[in-house]
Amino acid sequence: MSGDRLGRLGRISANQESLYWLFRETRPFAVGAESAFISRRRPSAYGALVEVLCSIRYALYRYDPWKVLRTYDPITVKMAVGASSFQGKSPMREALLDYPGLMEIYTGTTPFEDLDDHAIDALAVAICLLHALRHGK
């Protein structure tokens, strides 16, 4: 196995272990993630996305075998926060800045303006999950 592959698998495994302990500490009611998707710009990333989702599912299963990882496709996530669905990451950040009440309750250790695209997506997925739970989905 190549060193790069071992490095990626090691990072995924470490992330999985961290998530397990985070679940134990925070005892989440529900857990959501963006579903794996094939990007025209990076089609080879799909396999890594599936691996990451599997590791999240496994960490959640270790924490509580009855909890389900709820996944949402990127378009659904963008619609939940009111972002344009075809204009990249900037509209997602802008939509979250305008999302009612979010800036008042955001208590992250990193200032909102310094969040990377992954963190922005995670906040959007959390809002999407909240919408689904509120509407019994």
Side-chain angles (χ1 to χ4, degrees):
M1 218 181 261
S2 73
D4 183 45
R5 181 156 169 79
L6 283 174
R8 186 181 84 236
L9 294 177
R11 287 188 300 275
I12 290 171
S13 179
N15 185 51
Q16 176 181 302
E17 192 66 16
S18 294
L19 282 172
Y20 168 70
W21 288 103
L22 180 66
F23 295 152
R24 285 188 56 152
E25 181 181 321
T26 61
R27 302 176 59 189
F29 176 77
V31 178
E34 192 171 60
S35 60
F37 58 94
I38 296 177
S39 167
R40 283 178 273 150
R41 290 179 295 183
R42 298 182 67 196
S44 61
Y46 178 77
L49 291 172
V50 170
E51 289 173 343
V52 169
L53 281 174
C54 288
S55 73
I56 296 169
R57 277 193 183 93
Y58 182 70
L60 188 58
Y61 178 81
R62 279 179 58 203
Y63 164 68
D64 181 346
W66 298 105
K67 286 225 184 283
V68 174
L69 176 64
R70 298 166 183 252
T71 58
Y72 303 97
D73 62 90
I75 300 297
T76 301
V77 172
K78 288 179 179 183
M79 286 175 38
V81 298
S84 171
S85 60
F86 300 107
Q87 296 180 343
K89 297 294 180 183
S90 183
M92 182 76 81
R93 183 179 299 273
E94 292 167 15
L96 288 176
L97 279 169
D98 292 337
Y99 194 82
L102 180 62
M103 290 302 105
E104 287 78 23
I105 63 167
Y106 176 75
T107 59
T109 56
T110 302
F112 184 85
E113 57 274 1
D114 294 338
L115 294 176
D116 65 12
D117 289 342
H118 301 296
I120 293 295
D121 286 348
L123 279 171
V125 169
I127 290 169
C128 188
L129 174 61
L130 181 60
H131 281 267
L133 292 171
R134 283 183 174 163
H135 295 98
K137 296 179 183 176

